[in-house]
């Protein structure tokens, strides 16, 4: 993992142990958004994993979906470093109905 990946994971750790404690545990997904982002950075690296995590954080809103949403095993085949928005799932349509809570 790159040094910037370690910095990003360190910032996630700071969030979990500071701001998250005051905001409450209200993530709509399992695993939580911060855990999902950390795992995706560890699995795919900072650039791709960061985009995968960002798409998840942006989905976590009152109008978004919810439920069990594990980290993908592989990146989408049409994702490239110069098309970073293709790394993530920007809607909850990929979650099977039996794993949804909404």
């Amino acid at each position: 993992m790159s040094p910037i990946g370690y910095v990003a994971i360190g910032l996630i750790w700071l969030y979990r142990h500071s701001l998250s404690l005051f905001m409450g545990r209200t993530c709509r997904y399992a695993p939580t958004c911060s855990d999902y982002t950390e795992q995706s950075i560890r699995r795919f690296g900072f650039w791709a994993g960061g985009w995968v995590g960002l798409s998840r954080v942006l989905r976590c809103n009152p109008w978004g979906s919810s439920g069990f949403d594990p980290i993908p095993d592989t990146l989408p085949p049409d994702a490239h470093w110069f098309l970073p928005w293709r790394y993530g799932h920007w809607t909850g349509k990929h979650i099977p109905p039996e794993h949804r809570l909404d």
Side-chain angles (χ1 to χ4, degrees):
M1 194 167 49
S2 67
I4 196 158
Y6 286 111
V7 169
I9 289 173
L11 291 173
I12 292 170
W13 185 89
L14 278 172
Y15 163 76
R16 283 186 191 156
H17 293 87
S18 60
L19 188 59
S20 177
L21 297 174
F22 295 109
M23 292 174 51
R25 307 282 180 185
T26 59
C27 191
R28 302 170 51 87
Y29 292 99
T32 64
C33 294
S34 60
D35 190 40
Y36 184 93
T37 304
E38 178 186 351
Q39 289 178 24
S40 66
I41 290 172
R42 288 185 188 278
R43 181 175 292 174
F44 302 122
F46 174 72
W47 183 252
W51 280 96
V52 171
L54 177 66
S55 69
R56 169 67 173 280
V57 169
L58 293 178
R59 277 189 280 135
C60 193
N61 63 65
W63 301 277
S65 61
S66 61
F68 178 66
D69 180 25
I71 297 163
D73 293 328
T74 60
L75 293 172
D78 63 342
H80 303 287
W81 69 269
F82 54 88
L83 300 171
W85 54 88
R86 292 187 179 175
Y87 286 120
H89 296 286
W90 300 93
T91 65
K93 295 178 183 174
H94 67 284
I95 302 173
E98 61 271 9
H99 293 165
R100 295 176 71 102
L101 297 175
D102 54 333

